[in-house]
């Protein structure tokens, strides 16, 4: 109760001190909406909508508009209101695109918007649309990873353009998108393509496990268990496809490896 009252007071202070359309007022509204997310989804959505309208008053806040629209969409997905979720996600993509047209760098957060859109289509069993959404997400992540690698290999000063975010394009997020893409591909009956994509994700997860094992210096760690679980899940998905392809020996071997990894994870 005290925290809620403090947040409402913060919004009121921002409105009086800076005006109802100031970006910091919108940020205060966003914080208030986040507080409501686990308590009252309808109120959270209303407050997010107020934040969006406030952000729209500033010409340089396309990313904040897109991000906040995505937050609203996630709440709609949780409420199984997929039509409104798709509408908000489409608006979020348009907001980010407007920022790019104004000369802003493509934001890696766009990948998560595409992934959420793909989730909506997956829940509707609209696999072609899901495939397009996940492919688009992967493309954004690949661009972000290339930019990140380029910055790592150069001493060029990019401070004038601001920092380039790598969030949402790290190995874990990248591999997760591959898993979603592979599922959509398999659901369309394109099994060979799906296996190829699953194996790309599997390679990343194995590298993550190798890295976490070295860092743990022989001791079990949360990162190790998480990597093992993801490897096990990916192996299981590939095994299901091989079973459908009547490749029973290979399917059994993959199921067995996945099961053994789950046992090792549970034993930690």
């Amino acid at each position: 109760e005290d925290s809620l009252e403090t947040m409402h007071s913060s919004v009121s202070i921002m409105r009086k001190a800076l005006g109802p359309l100031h970006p910091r007022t919108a940020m205060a509204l966003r914080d208030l909406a986040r507080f409501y997310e686990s308590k009252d989804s309808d109120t959270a959505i209303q407050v997010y909508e107020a934040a969006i309208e406030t952000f729209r008053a500033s010409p340089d806040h396309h990313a904040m508009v897109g991000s906040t629209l995505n937050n609203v969409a996630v709440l709609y997905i949780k409420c199984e209101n997929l039509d409104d979720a798709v509408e908000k996600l489409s608006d979020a993509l348009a907001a980010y695109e407007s920022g790019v047209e104004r000369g802003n760098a493509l934001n890696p957060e766009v990948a998560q918007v595409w992934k959420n859109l793909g989730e909506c289509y997956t829940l509707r069993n609209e696999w072609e649309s899901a495939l397009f959404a996940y492919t688009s997400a992967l493309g954004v992540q690949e661009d972000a990873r290339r930019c990140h690698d380029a910055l790592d290999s150069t001493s060029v000063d990019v401070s004038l353009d601001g920092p380039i975010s790598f969030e949402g394009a790290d190995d874990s997020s990248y591999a997760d998108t591959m898993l979603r893409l592979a599922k959509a591909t398999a659901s369309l009956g394109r099994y060979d393509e799906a296996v190829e994509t699953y194996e790309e994700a599997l390679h990343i997860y194995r590298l993550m496990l190798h890295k976490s094992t070295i860092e743990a210096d022989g001791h079990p760690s949360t990162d190790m268990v998480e990597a093992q679980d993801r490897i096990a899940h990916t192996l299981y998905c590939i095994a299901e496809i091989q079973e459908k392809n009547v490749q029973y020996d290979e399917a059994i071997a993959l199921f067995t490896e996945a099961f053994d990894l789950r046992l090792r994870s549970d034993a930690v």
Side-chain angles (χ1 to χ4, degrees), residues 60-80:
D60 297 321
H61 283 76
H62 300 93
M64 294 307 299
V65 171
S67 175
T68 310
L69 284 164
N70 183 62
N71 290 343
V72 174
V74 169
L75 288 174
Y76 279 134
I77 292 171
K78 289 179 180 178
C79 296
E80 299 182 358

Side-chain angles (χ1 to χ4, degrees), residues 25 27 38-39 54 59 71 84 96 122 151 154 166 170 182 201 210 242 250 252:
T25 302
M27 293 297 294
S38 61
K39 304 176 182 300
T54 305
N71 290 343
D84 284 342
Y96 280 114
T122 295
L151 287 177
T154 183
F166 192 53
D170 56 276
H210 178 70
Q242 299 300 14
E250 186 171 353
I252 290 171

Side-chain angles (χ1 to χ4, degrees), residues 138-210:
L138 205 63
V140 173
Q141 290 174 317
E142 287 170 349
D143 287 344
R145 291 167 72 85
R146 278 193 292 269
C147 288
H148 185 267
D149 291 344
L151 287 177
D152 278 350
S153 62
T154 183
S155 59
V156 175
D157 182 6
V158 296
S159 58
L160 292 177
D161 295 323
I164 295 178
S165 172
F166 192 53
E167 185 177 354
D170 56 276
D171 286 346
S172 180
S173 298
Y174 187 52
D176 176 71
T177 306
M178 287 183 178
L179 291 185
R180 294 168 184 261
L181 176 62
K183 179 179 178 180
T185 306
S187 296
L188 290 168
R190 292 154 56 176
Y191 296 135
D192 290 344
E193 290 179 50
V195 168
E196 187 175 320
T197 305
Y198 275 129
E199 287 178 344
E200 288 184 57
L202 183 62
H203 176 69
I204 293 174
Y205 287 139
R206 290 194 190 280
L207 289 176
M208 290 171 59
L209 177 59
H210 178 70

